[in-house]
Amino acid sequence: MKNILLIGKENTSTQELGSVLGEFFEVTTDFGDAGLIDGLLRISIPDLVIINLDGVHLECRDICRLLAESFSKIPVILIGNQAICLSYSSFLHQEQFSQLNISVIDNTVVRACCRIMKISYAETLNAKKSGFESNSKQTILLVDDSALQNRISKNILDSKYNVKVTMSANQALEVIAQGKPDLIVLDYDMPDFDGYHFLRVLREEPATADIPVIFLTGIVDKEHVSKVIPLKPDGYLLKPVSAEKLLARVKSLLEG
């Protein structure tokens, strides 16, 4: 299944785009800044980047510049009306960038994605109808501010599971709002709020309380470990962890 990174403000149009695209592709939605997106792209390269300029068109130039300078092989679709896209003409003159103006979000955007990624639109529709690939793998969400650790964990888990990567707890909550993962692998020490507070938020919300959560962290002192025990994490692994140990713990939770 093709992977799409959708960038945009957390508004109705971005949510609708994510919903439509999610029926056909593996979609990661990001509302962060260029720095966070740079980290994500260095962990996992998507097949396509879509930037919804609705509400954020003046804030996306740094992201476009980053894509043009450091990730020039990734095709990019800018979604916005003619007036908004005019301010991005310097990027749209480059082969990497395309413009799509959609007033009603429907399969028009799916068709455009297929054309740019050079895949069959008809086969993509058939895959959706048959359910092929859509539910073939369980989803694991990695939450760690270390790009290196995310890359290591993703490489370990990628062949067997559908792995999504986030670099902060706030970003992880945004991803969860788009679709509940089957399991979360969580760091303890993170900059916005730590793994303890993130897990507490999950456990207090009925919709997320039952998501299995494995801590993968370098925090080993008794005070921090004891603090999370009442929240009932489903594992507490120490970095660096072997591929065999991580896979075995994940498999025991997802496959019994």
Side-chain angles (χ1 to χ4, degrees):
M1 182 180 288
K2 294 291 186 178
N3 295 286
I4 293 177
L5 174 60
L6 172 61
I7 300 169
K9 188 175 182 180
E10 192 171 6
N11 55 23
T12 300
S13 60
T14 301
Q15 290 171 355
E16 289 178 351
L17 272 168
S19 178
V20 170
L21 293 168
E23 295 183 21
F24 303 91
F25 311 107
E26 183 60 45
V27 180
T28 299
T29 304
D30 192 281
F31 309 105
D33 58 20
L36 285 175
I37 291 166
D38 183 30
L40 277 175
L41 292 174
R42 294 187 187 282
I43 296 164
S44 179
I45 298 295
D47 298 291
L48 175 67
V49 172
I50 297 177
I51 302 177
N52 179 25
L53 298 175
D54 179 22
V56 292
H57 69 280
L58 295 178
E59 303 168 27
C60 289
R61 289 173 182 168
D62 287 344
I63 295 172
C64 288
R65 193 171 297 111
L66 167 71
L67 290 165
E69 293 176 356
S70 301
F71 303 96
S72 59
K73 293 184 179 181
I74 306 174
V76 181
I77 298 178
L78 300 180
I79 293 182
N81 61 40
Q82 196 65 36
I84 290 176
C85 288
L86 185 63
S87 62
Y88 285 81
S89 58
S90 61
F91 296 106
L92 289 168
H93 287 150
Q94 302 175 39
E95 185 178 353
Q96 179 185 12
F97 291 82
S98 305
Q99 176 188 348
L100 185 61
N101 183 1
I102 51 173
S103 56
V104 178
I105 297 171
D106 55 19
N107 281 4
T108 302
V109 68
V110 178
R111 190 184 294 275
C113 291
C114 291
R115 182 182 70 252
I116 290 170
M117 292 189 288
K118 298 179 180 178
I119 60 176
S120 167
Y121 175 66
E123 289 179 6
T124 300
L125 290 182
N126 289 336
K128 177 204 172 184
K129 291 176 183 177
S130 65
F132 178 68
E133 289 189 326
S134 60
N135 297 309
S136 59
K137 290 184 178 182
Q138 292 169 295
T139 297
I140 297 175
L141 176 63
L142 305 179
V143 190
D144 196 314
D145 62 322
S146 167
L148 176 60
Q149 183 59 57
N150 277 329
R151 187 182 302 116
I152 292 170
S153 298
K154 182 175 172 61
N155 287 341
I156 292 171
L157 299 167
D158 224 9
S159 63
K160 192 170 180 59
Y161 302 100
N162 172 34
V163 181
K164 294 185 176 182
V165 176
T166 57
M167 298 184 69
S168 72
N170 281 324
Q171 190 180 67
L173 291 175
E174 293 167 355
V175 172
I176 292 169
Q178 300 293 319
K180 183 176 171 181
D182 296 290
L183 182 143
I184 295 172
V185 178
L186 175 65
D187 187 22
Y188 199 123
D189 187 21
M190 292 183 291
D192 48 5
F193 59 99
D194 63 23
Y196 164 76
H197 290 95
F198 176 76
L199 181 54
R200 192 175 72 178
V201 168
L202 294 184
R203 295 300 191 234
E204 290 175 352
E205 290 293 328
T208 59
D210 62 343
I211 301 175
V213 175
I214 299 172
F215 274 98
L216 178 56
T217 179
I219 300 292
V220 297
D221 62 277
K222 184 178 179 180
E223 179 185 353
H224 284 88
V225 176
S226 299
K227 190 176 180 181
V228 302
I229 288 176
L231 298 175
K232 298 181 179 178
D234 299 272
Y236 201 99
L237 303 177
L238 298 181
K239 300 176 181 176
V241 67
S242 68
E244 293 78 11
K245 192 170 185 178
L246 179 58
L247 278 169
R249 189 63 190 133
V250 169
K251 184 177 180 180
S252 69
L253 290 169
L254 292 181
E255 302 175 31

PDB file of all heavy atoms in Angstrom, residues 149 152 216-218 237-242 245:
ATOM      1  N   GLN A 149      16.193   6.219  17.207  1.00  0.00           N
ATOM      2  CA  GLN A 149      15.466   5.116  17.826  1.00  0.00           C
ATOM      3  C   GLN A 149      14.225   4.751  17.025  1.00  0.00           C
ATOM      4  O   GLN A 149      13.886   3.579  16.856  1.00  0.00           O
ATOM      5  CB  GLN A 149      15.063   5.470  19.260  1.00  0.00           C
ATOM      6  CG  GLN A 149      14.356   4.332  19.991  1.00  0.00           C
ATOM      7  CD  GLN A 149      15.194   3.076  20.087  1.00  0.00           C
ATOM      8  OE1 GLN A 149      16.312   3.107  20.609  1.00  0.00           O
ATOM      9  NE2 GLN A 149      14.691   1.963  19.566  1.00  0.00           N
ATOM     10  N   ILE A 152      15.328   2.673  14.125  1.00  0.00           N
ATOM     11  CA  ILE A 152      15.683   1.311  14.537  1.00  0.00           C
ATOM     12  C   ILE A 152      14.429   0.482  14.787  1.00  0.00           C
ATOM     13  O   ILE A 152      14.289  -0.646  14.293  1.00  0.00           O
ATOM     14  CB  ILE A 152      16.562   1.349  15.805  1.00  0.00           C
ATOM     15  CG1 ILE A 152      17.934   1.952  15.489  1.00  0.00           C
ATOM     16  CG2 ILE A 152      16.722  -0.054  16.391  1.00  0.00           C
ATOM     17  CD1 ILE A 152      18.773   2.255  16.717  1.00  0.00           C
ATOM     18  N   LEU A 216       9.504   1.859  25.785  1.00  0.00           N
ATOM     19  CA  LEU A 216      10.847   1.552  25.297  1.00  0.00           C
ATOM     20  C   LEU A 216      11.691   2.770  25.626  1.00  0.00           C
ATOM     21  O   LEU A 216      11.576   3.815  24.973  1.00  0.00           O
ATOM     22  CB  LEU A 216      10.842   1.273  23.796  1.00  0.00           C
ATOM     23  CG  LEU A 216      12.214   0.993  23.157  1.00  0.00           C
ATOM     24  CD1 LEU A 216      12.911  -0.173  23.845  1.00  0.00           C
ATOM     25  CD2 LEU A 216      12.070   0.723  21.668  1.00  0.00           C
ATOM     26  N   THR A 217      12.529   2.677  26.651  1.00  0.00           N
ATOM     27  CA  THR A 217      13.120   3.875  27.224  1.00  0.00           C
ATOM     28  C   THR A 217      14.472   3.577  27.864  1.00  0.00           C
ATOM     29  O   THR A 217      14.817   2.425  28.118  1.00  0.00           O
ATOM     30  CB  THR A 217      12.161   4.458  28.288  1.00  0.00           C
ATOM     31  OG1 THR A 217      12.744   5.612  28.877  1.00  0.00           O
ATOM     32  CG2 THR A 217      11.857   3.435  29.375  1.00  0.00           C
ATOM     33  N   GLY A 218      15.189   4.656  28.115  1.00  0.00           N
ATOM     34  CA  GLY A 218      16.428   4.551  28.862  1.00  0.00           C
ATOM     35  C   GLY A 218      16.255   4.901  30.330  1.00  0.00           C
ATOM     36  O   GLY A 218      17.213   4.867  31.099  1.00  0.00           O
ATOM     37  N   LEU A 237      10.539  -2.002  28.353  1.00  0.00           N
ATOM     38  CA  LEU A 237      11.792  -2.457  27.768  1.00  0.00           C
ATOM     39  C   LEU A 237      12.831  -1.347  27.827  1.00  0.00           C
ATOM     40  O   LEU A 237      12.505  -0.168  27.671  1.00  0.00           O
ATOM     41  CB  LEU A 237      11.567  -2.881  26.311  1.00  0.00           C
ATOM     42  CG  LEU A 237      10.508  -3.963  26.071  1.00  0.00           C
ATOM     43  CD1 LEU A 237      10.356  -4.217  24.586  1.00  0.00           C
ATOM     44  CD2 LEU A 237      10.864  -5.248  26.803  1.00  0.00           C
ATOM     45  N   LEU A 238      14.080  -1.740  28.038  1.00  0.00           N
ATOM     46  CA  LEU A 238      15.157  -0.767  28.171  1.00  0.00           C
ATOM     47  C   LEU A 238      15.950  -0.661  26.865  1.00  0.00           C
ATOM     48  O   LEU A 238      16.215  -1.665  26.201  1.00  0.00           O
ATOM     49  CB  LEU A 238      16.089  -1.162  29.315  1.00  0.00           C
ATOM     50  CG  LEU A 238      15.452  -1.206  30.709  1.00  0.00           C
ATOM     51  CD1 LEU A 238      16.505  -1.587  31.747  1.00  0.00           C
ATOM     52  CD2 LEU A 238      14.818   0.127  31.060  1.00  0.00           C
ATOM     53  N   LYS A 239      16.325   0.555  26.520  1.00  0.00           N
ATOM     54  CA  LYS A 239      17.191   0.791  25.364  1.00  0.00           C
ATOM     55  C   LYS A 239      18.633   0.473  25.756  1.00  0.00           C
ATOM     56  O   LYS A 239      19.046   0.775  26.884  1.00  0.00           O
ATOM     57  CB  LYS A 239      17.114   2.250  24.917  1.00  0.00           C
ATOM     58  CG  LYS A 239      15.747   2.734  24.492  1.00  0.00           C
ATOM     59  CD  LYS A 239      15.801   4.228  24.162  1.00  0.00           C
ATOM     60  CE  LYS A 239      14.452   4.779  23.762  1.00  0.00           C
ATOM     61  NZ  LYS A 239      14.503   6.233  23.532  1.00  0.00           N
ATOM     62  N   PRO A 240      19.418  -0.080  24.843  1.00  0.00           N
ATOM     63  CA  PRO A 240      18.990  -0.606  23.534  1.00  0.00           C
ATOM     64  C   PRO A 240      18.350  -1.974  23.690  1.00  0.00           C
ATOM     65  O   PRO A 240      18.793  -2.773  24.520  1.00  0.00           O
ATOM     66  CB  PRO A 240      20.308  -0.701  22.764  1.00  0.00           C
ATOM     67  CG  PRO A 240      21.339  -0.935  23.831  1.00  0.00           C
ATOM     68  CD  PRO A 240      20.879  -0.190  25.050  1.00  0.00           C
ATOM     69  N   VAL A 241      17.310  -2.218  22.895  1.00  0.00           N
ATOM     70  CA  VAL A 241      16.602  -3.485  22.979  1.00  0.00           C
ATOM     71  C   VAL A 241      16.923  -4.319  21.741  1.00  0.00           C
ATOM     72  O   VAL A 241      17.104  -3.773  20.646  1.00  0.00           O
ATOM     73  CB  VAL A 241      15.078  -3.256  23.095  1.00  0.00           C
ATOM     74  CG1 VAL A 241      14.513  -2.651  21.818  1.00  0.00           C
ATOM     75  CG2 VAL A 241      14.352  -4.544  23.446  1.00  0.00           C
ATOM     76  N   SER A 242      17.016  -5.614  21.917  1.00  0.00           N
ATOM     77  CA  SER A 242      17.293  -6.475  20.765  1.00  0.00           C
ATOM     78  C   SER A 242      16.037  -6.602  19.907  1.00  0.00           C
ATOM     79  O   SER A 242      14.904  -6.473  20.404  1.00  0.00           O
ATOM     80  CB  SER A 242      17.730  -7.864  21.224  1.00  0.00           C
ATOM     81  OG  SER A 242      16.648  -8.558  21.848  1.00  0.00           O
ATOM     82  N   LYS A 245      13.766  -9.381  21.215  1.00  0.00           N
ATOM     83  CA  LYS A 245      12.994  -9.078  22.419  1.00  0.00           C
ATOM     84  C   LYS A 245      11.811  -8.170  22.111  1.00  0.00           C
ATOM     85  O   LYS A 245      10.702  -8.382  22.610  1.00  0.00           O
ATOM     86  CB  LYS A 245      13.905  -8.422  23.459  1.00  0.00           C
ATOM     87  CG  LYS A 245      13.288  -8.335  24.846  1.00  0.00           C
ATOM     88  CD  LYS A 245      14.337  -7.904  25.866  1.00  0.00           C
ATOM     89  CE  LYS A 245      13.756  -7.940  27.276  1.00  0.00           C
ATOM     90  NZ  LYS A 245      14.796  -7.563  28.288  1.00  0.00           N
TER      91      LYS A 245
END
